[in-house]
Amino acid sequence: MAAPDSAAVSDLAAVSDLDAVSDLARAIDHTFLKPEGRRADVEQAVAEAAALGVYSVCVSPSELPLALPEGSALKVTAVCGFPSGKHRSAVKAAEAEFAVAQGADEIDMVIDIGAALDGRFDAVEADIRAVRAAVPAPTVLKVIIESAALDDDAIVAACGAAEAAGADFVKTSTGFHPSGGATVHAVEVMKHAVGDRLAIKASGGIRSREDAEAMLRAGASRLGLSSSRTVLEGGMGASGY
């Protein structure tokens, strides 16, 4: 991952430990998923992501392909079945496949939350399998379980379905659900469920550096942030994607 450019380093000069900031940046998927987002907003998000040295920029699939800065190591993440998860599996699979064809390196798919609440984890697994088959490795597949809407047993079962279906990550939240976003407790439960076999992405409501570092300590290795610069500078990010 490329280090932040000189402008980004200058902006972060007030932060005492730039090495720690760079390490945190490399765990971030810089996210722009606002429904009202315009092309100029997406271009700005890409430029900021590259300047900050984050791992990837996460956008809606309709924004692909992205024009990345020349020489950038920035990865591209696209969401799938977002934000409700209430799409036919074949539709999710087609959306994911098209996004990869348009340059996405990683796919963040949403499960059918209602199926999980019903205890129909065979259906959850089949849904994930359909997307996995459409975007095999080396594409990274992250599975959004909307942890705030589930109890601990359902979180564990959803993680099990994601693992059985061949996912690479389990992810807490879309950030759009009224139940809320990531919590340290949810990340801990997910980590207990998947161990080191799958990675964990925490997203939704992470608006400070303290929040971000707490999620990493709990077991996350990737973070979905929309206020990446503010968080890296030690400030408090705004709500929303």
Side-chain angles (χ1 to χ4, degrees), residues 27-31 55-56 77 106 142 201 222-225:
I28 293 173
D29 291 343
H30 183 56
T31 303
Y55 187 81
S56 85
T77 299
E106 304 191 356
K142 309 192 203 86
K201 177 176 173 179
R222 196 80 67 81
L223 305 169
L225 303 179

Side-chain angles (χ1 to χ4, degrees), residues 5 12 16 34 68 75 87 98 101 105 111-112 114 119 145-146 161 165 178 188 197 205-206 215 217 224 228 235 237:
D5 65 14
L12 297 173
S16 60
K34 290 182 179 179
L68 301 180
K75 300 291 186 181
H87 306 67
F98 187 73
D105 302 292
I111 65 168
D112 182 337
I145 66 169
E146 210 67 270
E188 290 173 342
R197 300 181 302 279
I206 303 171
M215 297 298 172
R217 287 194 300 271
S228 302

